[in-house]
Amino acid sequence: MAERGEIESYLNTLLAVDRFKDYGPNGLQVEGAAQCRRVVSGVTASLALIEAAAADGADTLLVHHGLFWRGQDGRLTGWLKARVEALIRHEINLFAFHLPLDAHAEFGNNAQLGRVLGLATDARFGEQALGFAAPAGALADLGALVAAVQAGLGRPPTVLPGDGRALRRIAWCSGGAQGGFEDAIAAGADAYLTGELSEPQAHLARETGVAFLACGHHATERYGAPALGAHLAERFGLEHRFIEIDNPA
Ligand SMILES: [Zn+2]
């Protein structure tokens, strides 16, 4: 058991939240019980996850995608009201860490995605150093890389194959980081993995020869929250469980 405030300051320091320019507030987003005993981690603070956490007896929910984002007008209506109401009714603390959780060198989404794919990070690149890169190692051809993604993430990526070169270096950035493709190319990548695909990447892959793999936004961001939750549980003697809410994205 631990005080909410103790958990809050530990997480804010561990994830260096002050160092990031982000699209929403990082840290405690909704205040619940003063004492934390049972943590549920998940990717997104959806109503389904909040209800599953409540059914699991959690007093603390730890997610990558919280409730509040730049551009919202601040009204607690509709789906947002329903989510906030469920958290408050069950006295669940909501901790959300967006870019700080992508970036963390051990528990972050990108560090954990590298672990799942068997890639040993040796460089960072791009905006706020969110991009990770590694020697291709055993994944030196595109077929092997696609197979590793399929096996590790449990779903086939959408592949823009580039020029068929041997892969020397692989770069990645979880979630909606398709805009980081050019930074990855500039950083020397022969293939770039992220969650999503937009229109420009197909042309860039053809014209630069660098392969692009869209592996799923949710699928690439499934590993940071449980790694952080497990660490928190060990550090403070809490119970922890990751709850997967299926998402085809
Ligand atoms: Zn995301």
Side-chain angles (χ1 to χ4, degrees), residues 5 37 83 91 106 152 197 221:
R37 277 193 188 87
R83 294 186 193 183
E91 285 197 275
E106 185 178 354
L197 175 64
E221 299 199 321

Side-chain angles (χ1 to χ4, degrees), residues 64-65 98 175 217 221:
H64 178 50
H65 302 133
H98 185 234
H217 189 134
E221 299 199 321

Side-chain angles (χ1 to χ4, degrees), residues 30-185:
V30 177
E31 205 173 278
Q35 301 287 332
C36 304
R37 277 193 188 87
R38 184 157 176 77
V39 181
V40 160
S41 61
V43 178
T44 298
S46 61
L47 187 58
L49 180 64
I50 294 166
E51 286 175 343
D56 200 55
D59 47 56
T60 301
L61 184 55
L62 178 63
V63 299
H64 178 50
H65 302 133
L67 294 181
F68 307 111
W69 301 98
R70 191 195 296 159
Q72 286 171 332
D73 70 7
R75 280 180 278 202
L76 286 181
T77 55
W79 60 268
L80 185 53
K81 178 247 183 186
R83 294 186 193 183
V84 172
E85 183 181 43
L87 286 165
I88 289 174
R89 181 165 12 101
H90 296 287
E91 285 197 275
I92 295 174
N93 295 296
L94 175 65
F95 287 98
F97 295 96
H98 185 234
L99 298 183
L101 187 58
D102 289 320
H104 192 270
E106 185 178 354
F107 306 117
N109 285 318
N110 285 318
Q112 293 293 320
L113 183 59
R115 178 186 59 74
V116 167
L117 297 175
L119 292 165
T121 305
D122 69 353
R124 304 277 295 263
F125 67 92
E127 205 196 318
Q128 304 190 67
L130 291 168
F132 282 48
L139 307 179
D141 73 81
L142 189 58
L145 178 59
V146 171
V149 170
Q150 164 100 49
L153 276 55
R155 65 174 77 184
T158 301
V159 180
L160 308 170
D163 59 11
R165 68 181 71 176
L167 307 181
R168 215 173 38 82
R169 291 192 59 77
I170 295 172
W172 65 97
C173 190
S174 66
Q178 58 270 50
F181 191 22
E182 283 183 272
D183 286 340
I185 295 166

